[in-house]
Amino acid sequence: MTNVFDILKERGYIEQATHEEEIRELLNDEKVTFYIGFDPTADSLHVGHFIQVMVMMHMQKAGHRPIALIGGGTGMVGDPSGRTDMRKMLTVAQIEHNVSSFKNQFSRFVDFSENRALIINNSDWLLNLNYIDFLRNIGAHFSVNRMLTAECFKNRLEKGLSFLEFNYMLMQSYDFLELYKRYNCKLQLGGNDQWSNIISGADLVRRIENGNAYGLTFKLLTTSEGKKMGKTESGAIWLDPEKTPPYDFYQYWRNVDDPDVENCLALLTFLPMEEVKRLGSLKDAEINKAKEILAYEVTKLVHGQEEADKAQSAAKTLFNNSGDISTSIPSSKLNESDFIKGIDILTLLSKTKLTSSKGEGRRLIQQGGIYLNDKRIDEFSQIINLDDFEDRKLMLRKGKKIYHQIEII
RNA sequence: GGAGGGAUUCCCGAGUUGGCCAAAGGGGGCAGACUGUAAAUCUGCUGGCACUGCCUUCGAAGGUUCGAAUCCUUCUCCCUCCA
């Protein structure tokens, strides 16, 4: 069987390793308990987290034991890495709520039965630490001089860094130590923005326990231009279908830039690498096929086959006029009475949230960006009534690809 | 604690001899053209509404004035230097 390290490397996950060869051997020789930390800063995981989840799945498949460490304790402090300003402080209640949402989502991807994987909250040990003991036992091993040179603090040195956040690195390092002691966890994985925190953790385990601790970081999901992926204007792409509907989720991947297709396939699907490479090398309009597969596969992993099918057939209907109209197109149901007298288009647009104001609707119509049943609307005084419905349904479109179905009930 | 500097529309950032400021410019975003539901490019738009007009906005609250982002007072927050 192929070493999972090689698989991860081939698929392009790995960015940096503390001891590349040793880690490779370790993963080959024994069942390793490893962990990845997740700070509960929101009530759902997003696409950025998903890449870490993918790694967990790969590792678990190879027989290793993942620990999903939820940062109920570190979340109280806030990680300054990759931030130019201080994070908002979350309330204790918010954090607890987020922790439970995370737990739910993990169990969809990772098998937690019979201790094949663990989910642990670092509040278990962080919340009751004694300040003086902690300083003496842990703090003594950290050099401020060295910490200040760490990448994750550098730009914050110019912008300002609170002492609270400065401690984050110690907290995370201490997590590693605890997990090492409690579960013989030898390896910490994480996004590359965690590199400083990870090496300091491995270092701490080595100093205090004289143990073999390793760290490995993964590429962040970025576009070929280096921009972070998984964000849109309306915010992150969430794994929670309530926050990002499966159809939108599907469309996000359907629309990735050409040069990013191969990378996304490798990182976010389990398709064999030969297939990934073949799809990634398609040229011109052909690459649309690869994008369809990408969108379908990722949606299937995250939301299940049924939702993926729905999203795909909805997309095909809307863009190619083939396939079945499906419930997965964003839609609203309105009362028949609303349309007996008729409702003006601007009001309808804001009702469906397609536009955030009537002014915006007016502008879009002037510019020819609003379509009703595929016919461009050019009067913003247009009244919509029952005659515009076919089979009690009506399709609104904003721009080229944002659809909204209205159904009469 | 002391001395200075700052807070402007989604973001950055002009504007502070009071009216010509819904507020330059850039970024981002949205739409149109071109396309492959891609990128690049070009064009238009980008506070709200009952849209040739009205309303709300320039950290917060008051004040001066016919009129304030611009002047005065108090407050809040941020930054820099000093301890």
Side-chain angles (χ1 to χ4, degrees), chain A residues 43-170:
Chain A
D43 60 1
S44 166
L45 295 170
H46 56 69
V47 174
H49 295 123
F50 185 62
I51 201 159
Q52 317 294 327
V53 174
M54 284 295 294
V55 170
M56 280 178 145
M57 290 193 270
H58 277 290
M59 291 283 282
Q60 190 172 49
K61 264 190 184 172
H64 303 292
R65 183 170 67 153
I67 297 177
L69 183 73
I70 302 192
T74 33
M76 305 272 193
V77 175
D79 185 3
S81 308
R83 290 228 131 209
T84 50
D85 52 1
M86 187 163 151
R87 281 172 197 273
K88 267 201 310 235
M89 284 242 240
L90 296 164
T91 66
V92 176
Q94 272 174 322
I95 290 175
E96 279 168 6
H97 171 73
N98 295 346
V99 166
S100 71
S101 311
F102 272 31
K103 281 185 176 170
N104 275 328
Q105 290 186 333
F106 278 121
S107 54
R108 297 184 38 109
F109 304 111
V110 178
D111 176 11
F112 288 98
S113 64
E114 292 162 24
N115 282 338
R116 293 196 63 229
L118 304 172
I119 188 157
I120 294 170
N121 189 335
N122 65 11
S123 61
D124 291 356
W125 54 81
L126 288 181
L127 256 34
N128 296 314
L129 282 177
N130 174 295
Y131 192 56
I132 300 296
D133 289 345
F134 184 78
L135 285 180
R136 289 177 62 93
N137 297 332
I138 306 298
H141 295 285
F142 285 79
S143 146
V144 172
N145 314 250
R146 207 154 41 85
M147 282 172 75
L148 289 177
T149 63
E151 198 57 44
C152 61
F153 293 126
K154 267 194 187 143
N155 60 14
R156 290 301 297 278
L157 249 28
E158 288 156 27
K159 279 277 185 176
L161 173 70
S162 67
F163 184 68
L164 173 78
E165 295 175 284
F166 189 56
N167 278 272
Y168 187 88
M169 183 183 270
L170 305 229

Side-chain angles (χ1 to χ4, degrees), chain A residues 262-281:
Chain A
E262 182 167 330
N263 191 234
C264 288
L265 280 166
L267 295 177
L268 300 169
T269 76
F270 286 102
L271 293 178
M273 275 312 279
E274 313 89 73
E275 181 69 357
V276 168
K277 287 198 176 123
R278 186 186 71 79
L279 290 168
S281 63

Side-chain angles (χ1 to χ4, degrees), chain A residues 329-391:
Chain A
I329 301 165
S331 64
S332 15
K333 295 181 166 52
L334 296 174
N335 290 322
E336 182 162 7
S337 55
D338 292 338
F339 294 98
I340 290 174
K341 272 198 234 151
I343 183 168
D344 70 288
I345 182 70
L346 295 177
T347 308
L348 189 62
L349 283 171
S350 35
K351 243 187 181 162
T352 59
K353 306 262 162 61
L354 232 35
T355 58
S356 55
S357 70
K358 291 188 181 173
E360 189 189 342
R362 199 172 264 122
R363 213 178 298 131
L364 280 164
I365 289 171
Q366 275 164 358
Q367 300 186 122
I370 295 293
Y371 303 78
L372 173 80
N373 292 331
D374 271 336
K375 271 177 57 193
R376 184 175 275 179
I377 289 183
D378 29 41
E379 281 297 324
F380 48 71
S381 53
Q382 184 158 343
I383 303 293
I384 312 298
N385 56 37
L386 290 173
D387 297 341
D388 295 304
F389 285 80
E390 290 166 29
D391 203 16

